[in-house]
Short mmCIF file of all heavy atoms in Angstrom, two decimals:
data_model
loop_
_atom_site.label_atom_id
_atom_site.label_comp_id
_atom_site.label_asym_id
_atom_site.label_seq_id
_atom_site.Cartn_x
_atom_site.Cartn_y
_atom_site.Cartn_z
N PHE B 1215 -12.36 -5.66 8.64
CA PHE B 1215 -11.65 -5.51 7.37
C PHE B 1215 -12.30 -4.46 6.47
O PHE B 1215 -11.61 -3.66 5.83
CB PHE B 1215 -11.58 -6.86 6.67
CG PHE B 1215 -10.87 -6.83 5.34
CD1 PHE B 1215 -9.51 -6.54 5.26
CD2 PHE B 1215 -11.55 -7.11 4.16
CE1 PHE B 1215 -8.85 -6.53 4.05
CE2 PHE B 1215 -10.89 -7.11 2.94
CZ PHE B 1215 -9.55 -6.82 2.89
N THR B 1216 -13.63 -4.44 6.42
CA THR B 1216 -14.33 -3.53 5.52
C THR B 1216 -14.28 -2.08 5.99
O THR B 1216 -14.74 -1.19 5.26
CB THR B 1216 -15.79 -3.95 5.33
OG1 THR B 1216 -16.45 -4.03 6.60
CG2 THR B 1216 -15.86 -5.31 4.64
N ASN B 1217 -13.74 -1.80 7.18
CA ASN B 1217 -13.57 -0.43 7.64
C ASN B 1217 -12.38 0.26 6.98
O ASN B 1217 -12.22 1.47 7.12
CB ASN B 1217 -13.37 -0.39 9.16
CG ASN B 1217 -14.64 -0.69 9.93
OD1 ASN B 1217 -15.73 -0.73 9.37
ND2 ASN B 1217 -14.49 -0.92 11.22
N TYR B 1218 -11.53 -0.50 6.28
CA TYR B 1218 -10.26 0.01 5.79
C TYR B 1218 -10.17 0.01 4.27
O TYR B 1218 -10.53 -0.97 3.61
CB TYR B 1218 -9.09 -0.83 6.33
CG TYR B 1218 -8.96 -0.82 7.83
CD1 TYR B 1218 -9.59 -1.78 8.60
CD2 TYR B 1218 -8.20 0.15 8.46
CE1 TYR B 1218 -9.47 -1.78 9.97
CE2 TYR B 1218 -8.07 0.15 9.84
CZ TYR B 1218 -8.71 -0.82 10.59
OH TYR B 1218 -8.58 -0.81 11.96
N ALA B 1219 -9.66 1.12 3.73
CA ALA B 1219 -9.08 1.07 2.40
C ALA B 1219 -7.77 0.29 2.50
O ALA B 1219 -7.08 0.36 3.51
CB ALA B 1219 -8.83 2.47 1.86
N MET B 1220 -7.42 -0.45 1.45
CA MET B 1220 -6.24 -1.29 1.47
C MET B 1220 -5.26 -0.86 0.38
O MET B 1220 -5.67 -0.47 -0.72
CB MET B 1220 -6.60 -2.76 1.27
CG MET B 1220 -7.53 -3.32 2.34
SD MET B 1220 -6.79 -3.31 4.00
CE MET B 1220 -5.39 -4.40 3.74
N GLY B 1221 -3.97 -0.95 0.70
CA GLY B 1221 -2.96 -0.56 -0.26
C GLY B 1221 -1.79 -1.51 -0.30
O GLY B 1221 -1.57 -2.30 0.63
N TRP B 1222 -1.05 -1.46 -1.40
CA TRP B 1222 0.22 -2.16 -1.55
C TRP B 1222 1.32 -1.12 -1.74
O TRP B 1222 1.19 -0.19 -2.55
CB TRP B 1222 0.22 -3.12 -2.74
CG TRP B 1222 -0.60 -4.36 -2.52
CD1 TRP B 1222 -1.89 -4.57 -2.89
CD2 TRP B 1222 -0.15 -5.56 -1.88
NE1 TRP B 1222 -2.28 -5.85 -2.52
CE2 TRP B 1222 -1.23 -6.47 -1.90
CE3 TRP B 1222 1.06 -5.97 -1.31
CZ2 TRP B 1222 -1.14 -7.75 -1.36
CZ3 TRP B 1222 1.14 -7.24 -0.77
CH2 TRP B 1222 0.05 -8.11 -0.80
N PHE B 1223 2.41 -1.28 -0.99
CA PHE B 1223 3.60 -0.46 -1.11
C PHE B 1223 4.80 -1.37 -1.35
O PHE B 1223 4.73 -2.58 -1.12
CB PHE B 1223 3.82 0.38 0.15
CG PHE B 1223 2.79 1.45 0.37
CD1 PHE B 1223 1.53 1.14 0.84
CD2 PHE B 1223 3.10 2.77 0.11
CE1 PHE B 1223 0.58 2.12 1.04
CE2 PHE B 1223 2.16 3.77 0.31
CZ PHE B 1223 0.90 3.44 0.78
N ARG B 1224 5.90 -0.79 -1.79
CA ARG B 1224 7.11 -1.57 -1.96
C ARG B 1224 8.32 -0.74 -1.56
O ARG B 1224 8.30 0.48 -1.61
CB ARG B 1224 7.26 -2.08 -3.40
CG ARG B 1224 7.58 -1.01 -4.43
CD ARG B 1224 7.56 -1.60 -5.82
NE ARG B 1224 8.05 -0.68 -6.83
CZ ARG B 1224 8.01 -0.91 -8.13
NH1 ARG B 1224 7.50 -2.05 -8.61
NH2 ARG B 1224 8.49 0.00 -8.98
N GLN B 1225 9.38 -1.45 -1.16
CA GLN B 1225 10.63 -0.79 -0.79
C GLN B 1225 11.80 -1.61 -1.30
O GLN B 1225 12.01 -2.74 -0.87
CB GLN B 1225 10.72 -0.60 0.72
CG GLN B 1225 11.92 0.23 1.16
CD GLN B 1225 11.80 0.69 2.61
OE1 GLN B 1225 11.04 0.14 3.39
NE2 GLN B 1225 12.56 1.72 2.95
N ALA B 1226 12.54 -1.04 -2.23
CA ALA B 1226 13.75 -1.66 -2.75
C ALA B 1226 14.93 -1.28 -1.87
O ALA B 1226 14.92 -0.25 -1.18
CB ALA B 1226 14.00 -1.22 -4.19
N GLN B 1227 15.97 -2.11 -1.88
CA GLN B 1227 17.15 -1.85 -1.07
C GLN B 1227 17.75 -0.50 -1.42
O GLN B 1227 17.99 -0.20 -2.60
CB GLN B 1227 18.18 -2.96 -1.27
CG GLN B 1227 19.39 -2.84 -0.36
CD GLN B 1227 20.33 -4.02 -0.47
OE1 GLN B 1227 20.18 -4.86 -1.36
NE2 GLN B 1227 21.30 -4.09 0.41
N GLY B 1228 17.98 0.33 -0.41
CA GLY B 1228 18.55 1.64 -0.61
C GLY B 1228 17.58 2.69 -1.10
O GLY B 1228 18.00 3.83 -1.37
N ARG B 1229 16.30 2.35 -1.21
CA ARG B 1229 15.29 3.28 -1.69
C ARG B 1229 14.23 3.50 -0.62
O ARG B 1229 14.09 2.71 0.32
CB ARG B 1229 14.61 2.75 -2.96
CG ARG B 1229 15.57 2.26 -4.03
CD ARG B 1229 16.36 3.40 -4.64
NE ARG B 1229 15.51 4.30 -5.42
CZ ARG B 1229 15.95 5.32 -6.14
NH1 ARG B 1229 17.24 5.59 -6.17
NH2 ARG B 1229 15.11 6.07 -6.83
N GLU B 1230 13.47 4.57 -0.75
CA GLU B 1230 12.36 4.84 0.16
C GLU B 1230 11.13 4.03 -0.23
O GLU B 1230 10.98 3.60 -1.38
CB GLU B 1230 12.02 6.33 0.17
CG GLU B 1230 13.10 7.20 0.77
CD GLU B 1230 12.65 8.63 0.95
OE1 GLU B 1230 11.63 9.03 0.36
OE2 GLU B 1230 13.33 9.36 1.70
N ARG B 1231 10.27 3.80 0.74
CA ARG B 1231 9.02 3.09 0.48
C ARG B 1231 8.16 3.89 -0.50
O ARG B 1231 8.03 5.11 -0.39
CB ARG B 1231 8.28 2.87 1.79
CG ARG B 1231 7.07 1.95 1.69
CD ARG B 1231 6.51 1.67 3.08
NE ARG B 1231 7.53 1.08 3.95
CZ ARG B 1231 7.34 0.80 5.23
NH1 ARG B 1231 6.16 1.04 5.79
NH2 ARG B 1231 8.32 0.27 5.94
N GLU B 1232 7.55 3.21 -1.47
CA GLU B 1232 6.75 3.88 -2.47
C GLU B 1232 5.40 3.20 -2.66
O GLU B 1232 5.27 1.99 -2.52
CB GLU B 1232 7.49 3.98 -3.81
CG GLU B 1232 7.85 2.66 -4.45
CD GLU B 1232 8.64 2.83 -5.73
OE1 GLU B 1232 8.86 3.97 -6.17
OE2 GLU B 1232 9.06 1.80 -6.31
N PHE B 1233 4.43 4.00 -3.02
CA PHE B 1233 3.07 3.53 -3.25
C PHE B 1233 2.99 2.73 -4.54
O PHE B 1233 3.59 3.10 -5.55
CB PHE B 1233 2.13 4.74 -3.32
CG PHE B 1233 0.74 4.43 -3.78
CD1 PHE B 1233 -0.19 3.88 -2.92
CD2 PHE B 1233 0.35 4.71 -5.08
CE1 PHE B 1233 -1.48 3.61 -3.33
CE2 PHE B 1233 -0.94 4.45 -5.50
CZ PHE B 1233 -1.85 3.89 -4.62
N VAL B 1234 2.22 1.64 -4.52
CA VAL B 1234 2.01 0.81 -5.70
C VAL B 1234 0.56 0.86 -6.16
O VAL B 1234 0.28 1.18 -7.31
CB VAL B 1234 2.43 -0.66 -5.44
CG1 VAL B 1234 2.12 -1.52 -6.66
CG2 VAL B 1234 3.90 -0.74 -5.08
N ALA B 1235 -0.37 0.54 -5.26
CA ALA B 1235 -1.78 0.49 -5.63
C ALA B 1235 -2.63 0.52 -4.37
O ALA B 1235 -2.17 0.18 -3.28
CB ALA B 1235 -2.10 -0.77 -6.44
N ALA B 1236 -3.90 0.93 -4.51
CA ALA B 1236 -4.83 0.95 -3.39
C ALA B 1236 -6.24 0.68 -3.88
O ALA B 1236 -6.54 0.88 -5.06
CB ALA B 1236 -4.77 2.29 -2.64
N ILE B 1237 -7.10 0.25 -2.96
CA ILE B 1237 -8.48 -0.06 -3.29
C ILE B 1237 -9.39 0.41 -2.17
O ILE B 1237 -9.03 0.34 -0.99
CB ILE B 1237 -8.64 -1.58 -3.57
CG1 ILE B 1237 -10.02 -1.90 -4.15
CG2 ILE B 1237 -8.35 -2.39 -2.31
CD1 ILE B 1237 -10.08 -3.30 -4.75
N SER B 1238 -10.57 0.90 -2.52
CA SER B 1238 -11.50 1.43 -1.54
C SER B 1238 -12.11 0.33 -0.70
O SER B 1238 -11.95 -0.86 -0.97
CB SER B 1238 -12.60 2.23 -2.25
OG SER B 1238 -13.40 1.37 -3.05
N ARG B 1239 -12.84 0.73 0.35
CA ARG B 1239 -13.42 -0.24 1.27
C ARG B 1239 -14.38 -1.20 0.58
O ARG B 1239 -14.41 -2.39 0.90
CB ARG B 1239 -14.12 0.50 2.42
CG ARG B 1239 -13.17 1.17 3.41
CD ARG B 1239 -13.91 2.06 4.37
NE ARG B 1239 -14.41 3.26 3.70
CZ ARG B 1239 -15.07 4.23 4.30
NH1 ARG B 1239 -15.32 4.16 5.61
NH2 ARG B 1239 -15.49 5.28 3.61
N SER B 1240 -15.14 -0.70 -0.37
CA SER B 1240 -16.09 -1.53 -1.09
C SER B 1240 -15.46 -2.27 -2.27
O SER B 1240 -16.04 -3.23 -2.77
CB SER B 1240 -17.25 -0.69 -1.61
OG SER B 1240 -16.82 0.18 -2.64
#
């Protein structure tokens, strides 16, 4: 798990996937 930066994305109906937030490995 600690090898990865983690992110949240979202996709609304009829829309493209978009970035919400991310956090570094530490």
Side-chain angles (χ1 to χ4, degrees):
F1215 180 65
T1216 56
N1217 288 348
Y1218 298 92
M1220 300 297 298
W1222 287 95
F1223 292 76
R1224 71 186 189 187
Q1225 187 165 19
Q1227 185 174 10
R1229 312 292 292 185
E1230 293 188 344
R1231 189 173 303 177
E1232 61 183 355
F1233 171 79
V1234 176
I1237 190 165
S1238 66
R1239 288 170 289 181
S1240 69

